Amino acid sequence: MIPLATARALVLVSLAAPIALAQSPWTRLGTDLVEPGAFTGMGIAFEGTTLLAGAPYSVSGQPRSVFDPNDLDPPGALLVYEEIGGAWTLTQHVQPPDGVPADRFGVAVVMSGDEAFVSAPNAMANGIRSGAVYRYERGGGQWIERQKLVPQDAQNFGGFGNHIDIDGDQLLVGAHLHSDAGIREWGRGFVFERTPGGDWVEAGALVPPPMPDEAWAGYRVAIDGDRAALGVYGDQTNGGGAGAVCVFDRTPLGWVPVQQVLPQRGTQFAHFSFSLLLEGDLLVAGSFRGGVERFHCGTLHVFRHDGTSFQEVQELLPPGKEYAASFGETAWLSESGELLAGMPGSDRIGGRIAVHRPLPDGTFELESLQWPPQPEHVACFGWKVRTSNGRIAATAAVAHVAGERRGAVYVGDPADGGHESPRCAGSPGHGAGPQEVMLRSRGRIASGSASAEFVVTQLPGSAMTLLFAGSPNGAKDAFGFGCIGGPRVRLSAPAAAGAGGSVTWSLASTPAASLVTAGSTWSFQAWAWDGAAAHHSNALDLRFEP
């Protein structure tokens, strides 16, 4: 073990008062017309300067004081935001004219140019609650309803519209509660295509092979050209609630199931396929309760098509295998090929977004963790994630707004503000190979004070731990000390890990609180020892903007 005393001091100029640190790079969009419990952002679409957010538990778009929430079950609403003069403005509140209580209008939203589709899986049509998808067109600065899509084989409470996906002139709609041939809640998908006149008509159905009751095929859907996928949320191949993906190819005879996709490590109640992406030879499916045994941290499984079938090439886990992080509850592929994974259960359910860069071998590598704009317990930041022109739109479906849990929608440019960039997996005894020791930050750097907290977890019981900071760009020194290159400063006295194997520090109580300069980047790392064994965590690169 290398003596801690050999670590060289980091030479910085002390400031008389702390520099005003970065404001959050995230802009919260106004939700004045959404009442408590609306679940704003359960459905979301983002293109350029337009963002559409579904609020499926919204009653009428009126402030709570003007209605009695016990009078009716909320029908849902769509909030339209436009970026005007650099500021995001709520420009329209949309509800279908035939909407009724409990429609859940806004559960899923997709947009393509001046056309948008909003689902209502409990909507009334032809006297039954079959569910429906409403098509809107933008004209004169307003979104106008043009069509209500309902399948020919509609069923009462069939769940039509629980999830939707669009690819050019094709729209795939899941109906996960659809029953047939005596199989209860078997599920299926319905494909609609655009006609030359602009309307959309049903053009085919995706029917998976016979499955047990409550397979829920179509709980999540994805389509790309002549290939489509249904998330079979209730598949029991790997145990109850394990989940699967059914892949279809379009043939002259229609849509034909060609593969059941399962993760290499499937477990009971993992809920594999809770998130689903399909693009070219890439298939990504999330298991928000999967992961390492006992951790239930969530996973993303990356598959590549080898010309014959999809084969798993990677299993992504959240940093530190954080318990109940719900990693992969939602996933999104950016225009530049980055894979974003929502972690709404991360950091005591405040939420995070993990951004992964693509690698030449077809896998992904964690690039950064985007933290929520305000530290809040049970905000679920990262519930839904979308990107457009390098910016990220993210929702926190149960965040407090004006003192009530209305849910919130945020837009941010990760290049404009502070973020975590984990580097160098922890390793025992300074050797190679990952381990579970993990450093994370909690909250955010508040303006005018360095108020962030750091927590290191998965430590051996009673291990002694120190927190260090240094330059992430410094040259590696002769000691080979963890993940920070070059000189570093010790920020804490030795602290013993608690019974839960964790230690927490406040940046405000360390020398860094008065040494951080605006525009700088610091790297933080925990170093621990337990008897003769030494451990180091990952490093967190934290960027401070003026």
Side-chain angles (χ1 to χ4, degrees):
M1 172 177 170
I2 298 169
L4 298 180
T6 59
R8 290 173 286 158
L10 179 65
V11 180
L12 294 174
V13 178
S14 179
L15 304 174
I19 286 288
L21 303 180
Q23 295 287 351
S24 168
W26 298 93
T27 298
R28 189 174 74 186
L29 281 55
T31 53
D32 297 340
L33 295 183
V34 175
E35 55 283 324
F39 271 82
T40 305
M42 183 171 281
I44 184 174
F46 181 35
E47 280 192 10
T49 59
T50 302
L51 190 148
L52 309 179
Y57 290 84
S58 175
V59 175
S60 61
Q62 299 300 317
R64 184 172 185 173
S65 59
V66 302
F67 72 90
D68 181 351
N70 297 315
D71 284 347
L72 59 132
D73 196 16
L78 179 73
L79 305 180
V80 179
Y81 298 92
E82 299 286 348
E83 189 179 25
I84 303 172
W88 286 93
T89 303
L90 180 61
T91 60
Q92 192 176 355
H93 175 273
V94 178
Q95 286 183 306
D98 63 348
V100 296
D103 272 359
R104 303 295 182 256
F105 178 80
V107 160
V109 184
V110 296
M111 174 170 47
S112 179
D114 290 327
E115 200 165 32
F117 296 84
V118 185
S119 72
N122 287 346
M124 296 288 297
N126 301 318
I128 62 173
R129 281 196 179 272
S130 62
V133 174
Y134 293 84
R135 181 174 71 89
Y136 290 84
E137 288 183 356
R138 177 163 43 191
Q142 294 287 298
W143 290 90
I144 303 167
E145 183 189 335
R146 296 300 189 193
Q147 195 175 0
K148 182 178 180 179
L149 305 180
V150 180
Q152 298 173 17
D153 185 18
Q155 292 187 356
N156 196 28
F157 292 107
F160 177 81
N162 186 73
H163 196 234
I164 54 180
D165 191 29
I166 191 169
D167 178 50
D169 292 336
Q170 298 181 111
L171 179 76
L172 177 56
V173 184
H176 66 294
L177 301 178
H178 193 283
S179 300
D180 197 9
I183 303 177
R184 183 167 53 87
E185 298 178 4
W186 182 358
R188 63 184 54 192
F190 294 91
V191 178
F192 290 77
E193 295 181 356
R194 190 199 314 269
T195 66
D199 284 340
W200 291 68
V201 298
E202 186 177 337
L206 277 61
V207 182
M211 296 181 176
D213 287 348
E214 299 179 354
W216 287 15
Y219 190 84
R220 293 290 185 264
V221 300
I223 187 168
D224 183 49
D226 292 332
R227 182 170 292 147
L230 298 183
V232 189
Y233 181 73
D235 183 84
Q236 301 178 24
T237 303
N238 287 320
V245 174
C246 187
V247 177
F248 295 76
D249 283 348
R250 181 164 50 187
T251 73
L253 299 178
W255 290 92
V256 177
V258 295
Q259 185 183 1
Q260 182 192 45
V261 177
L262 297 169
Q264 293 178 9
R265 182 172 57 174
T267 57
Q268 189 176 19
F269 304 125
H271 304 313
F272 174 73
S273 77
F274 195 83
S275 59
L276 195 58
L277 294 175
L278 178 64
E279 184 168 320
D281 72 340
L282 175 67
L283 173 70
V284 178
S287 305
F288 78 95
R289 282 192 55 80
V292 182
E293 184 180 1
R294 300 187 308 277
F295 281 80
H296 302 296
C297 55
T299 64
L300 274 179
H301 300 266
V302 179
F303 300 83
R304 292 287 181 178
H305 201 275
D306 62 7
T308 302
S309 61
F310 281 103
Q311 303 295 325
E312 185 171 353
V313 298
Q314 187 179 20
E315 180 188 43
L316 293 170
L317 295 168
K321 304 173 188 174
E322 184 181 357
Y323 181 78
S326 296
F327 179 79
E329 182 162 320
T330 185
W332 185 256
L333 199 67
S334 74
E335 302 93 321
S336 58
E338 291 179 317
L339 178 61
L340 285 76
M343 303 167 57
S346 174
D347 195 21
R348 298 184 181 178
I349 2 184
R352 289 283 201 279
I353 298 170
V355 182
H356 303 81
R357 66 169 68 89
L359 299 177
D361 64 358
T363 61
F364 294 88
E365 178 182 65
L366 183 62
E367 181 177 49
S368 70
L369 290 175
Q370 302 295 326
W371 59 55
Q374 289 90 24
E376 181 187 338
H377 181 58
V378 197
C380 292
F381 179 77
W383 188 288
K384 287 289 188 298
V385 181
R386 298 292 184 266
T387 61
S388 180
N389 298 331
R391 294 188 293 180
I392 301 175
T395 68
V398 289
H400 278 92
V401 177
E404 301 274 5
R405 289 199 181 279
R406 292 172 166 84
V409 182
Y410 301 87
V411 175
D413 186 339
D416 285 345
H419 63 272
E420 302 173 356
S421 181
R423 297 183 297 110
C424 182
S427 57
H430 313 295
Q435 67 171 3
E436 295 170 358
V437 176
M438 184 66 198
L439 181 70
R440 297 189 301 272
S441 74
R442 177 181 299 149
R444 69 184 181 91
I445 307 301
S447 176
S449 63
S451 64
E453 291 183 338
F454 298 90
V455 57
V456 61
T457 58
Q458 282 82 255
L459 286 166
S462 73
M464 298 302 293
T465 312
L466 294 170
L467 180 66
F468 288 84
S471 169
N473 301 317
K476 197 75 172 178
D477 67 15
F479 302 119
F481 178 87
C483 308
I484 302 178
R488 62 195 60 80
V489 62
R490 194 179 81 179
L491 299 181
S492 71
S502 66
V503 176
T504 300
W505 301 274
S506 170
L507 184 60
S509 64
T510 71
S514 60
L515 296 178
V516 171
T517 57
S520 67
T521 298
W522 280 53
S523 189
F524 298 87
Q525 183 183 22
W527 205 47
W529 63 98
D530 175 34
H535 311 265
H536 66 74
S537 74
N538 60 296
L540 281 181
D541 296 344
L542 299 188
R543 179 179 176 181
F544 301 88
E545 288 296 317

